[in-house]
Amino acid sequence: MVETFREVLELLEQYFVYIYPGFITIMINHFTKARGTNLNKSTLGISIVISYVYIILYQYFFKINVSKFSDKDYVLMLVISILIPIIWHWIKKLKLTEIILNKIGINTTLEDTVWDYIQYRDKEKKGIVLKVFLDDKDIMYEGSLRYRESDPEKEQTICLSGYRRYVKENGRYIVKQNYNNDNSRWVMIKAQEITRSEIKYASEK
């Protein structure tokens, strides 16, 4: 019984290397985008694919078979699986990356959503001023974007601070609440209620 248990542990150790590097890469990648990681079959499958690619490259460059991995190799795989998504996140933010994509005719971004792109454009982190229209309610908010829920598995919301609240009357928006100089005042808005937005970057003239 003990011998069987030991063999099972050795088998798990042998095949675990085909899972954990990819899974850690996925987790770190999601973390850089403020997203959670779902523990499901899809995540497991992608983890195995990424891990397999890592192992192939590792074996090619270090001339060692996965069956001969030592503790040092497992640690190096761990480090690689952490560094790769961090480096990728850094590369995505480079202006040079955007220039290269445009040069080769790829007119898209490496961001997942329009909200990711909006925040990415705030190069100097000086703030983004939004005018958010809730046309179904004849309401408009104007304020600084302070927070947004970026996890697609959760209810999508944004928070504005130092905001003004307008109500549409006779075809014109009239200020009803003005907290423009008070950043302690926040308002949370459900993204599904937003019909359109206007964006102004403090870092752009």
Side-chain angles (χ1 to χ4, degrees):
M1 183 66 177
V2 175
E3 186 63 30
T4 302
F5 184 69
R6 184 180 295 110
E7 290 176 358
V8 171
L9 288 179
E10 290 175 354
L11 189 64
L12 288 174
E13 180 181 354
Q14 181 180 351
Y15 286 100
F16 188 59
V17 71
Y18 287 98
I19 299 175
Y20 83 85
F23 184 73
I24 290 173
T25 291
I26 292 172
M27 284 188 63
I28 298 297
N29 182 54
H30 286 175
F31 178 77
T32 62
K33 298 184 289 187
R35 288 165 170 75
T37 302
N38 293 324
L39 302 177
N40 52 34
K41 291 181 180 180
S42 177
T43 301
L44 176 61
I46 296 172
S47 299
I48 292 172
V49 171
I50 295 173
S51 299
Y52 188 67
V53 172
Y54 285 169
I55 289 169
I56 289 175
L57 294 174
Y58 192 91
Q59 290 180 142
Y60 176 80
F61 287 107
F62 291 94
K63 310 300 181 184
I64 183 173
N65 191 277
V66 65
S67 62
K68 304 294 184 181
F69 273 17
S70 65
D71 290 345
K72 181 189 72 174
D73 297 304
Y74 288 119
V75 170
L76 280 174
M77 287 291 291
L78 175 63
V79 172
I80 290 169
S81 65
I82 293 172
L83 288 179
I84 291 295
I86 293 175
I87 293 171
W88 173 244
H89 180 71
W90 176 71
I91 289 172
K92 287 197 303 181
K93 302 299 181 184
L94 289 176
K95 181 66 176 177
L96 178 62
T97 303
E98 187 176 345
I99 293 172
I100 292 173
L101 288 175
N102 290 332
K103 285 288 186 181
I104 61 178
I106 300 178
N107 298 315
T108 186
T109 73
L110 298 177
E111 305 300 328
D112 291 342
T113 69
V114 65
W115 286 107
D116 290 335
Y117 183 72
I118 287 170
Q119 288 194 312
Y120 162 69
R121 294 292 298 172
D122 184 23
K123 301 293 187 180
E124 299 176 18
K125 304 300 180 185
K126 291 185 177 180
I128 303 170
V129 176
L130 292 182
K131 285 185 177 180
V132 178
F133 295 83
L134 285 63
D135 288 329
D136 293 339
K137 297 181 177 181
D138 287 333
I139 292 174
M140 187 262 283
Y141 290 96
E142 179 182 14
S144 299
L145 179 63
R146 296 294 293 275
Y147 171 81
R148 69 179 179 90
E149 177 54 66
S150 58
D151 191 335
E153 299 298 321
K154 300 179 181 178
E155 185 177 42
Q156 300 297 288
T157 58
I158 65 170
C159 290
L160 305 179
S161 71
Y163 69 93
R164 295 188 182 99
R165 177 177 175 271
Y166 300 77
V167 174
K168 194 173 185 180
E169 297 177 355
N170 299 320
R172 299 179 60 187
Y173 283 100
I174 308 299
V175 178
K176 294 296 184 179
Q177 292 173 297
N178 189 347
Y179 303 117
N180 183 50
N181 296 316
D182 186 358
N183 280 321
S184 68
R185 294 278 189 167
W186 289 35
V187 59
M188 183 173 70
I189 306 166
K190 294 181 180 180
Q192 65 183 19
E193 296 180 348
I194 299 173
T195 51
R196 56 196 173 98
S197 301
E198 293 181 8
I199 306 161
K200 179 181 178 181
Y201 295 94
S203 56
E204 294 185 1
K205 297 181 180 180

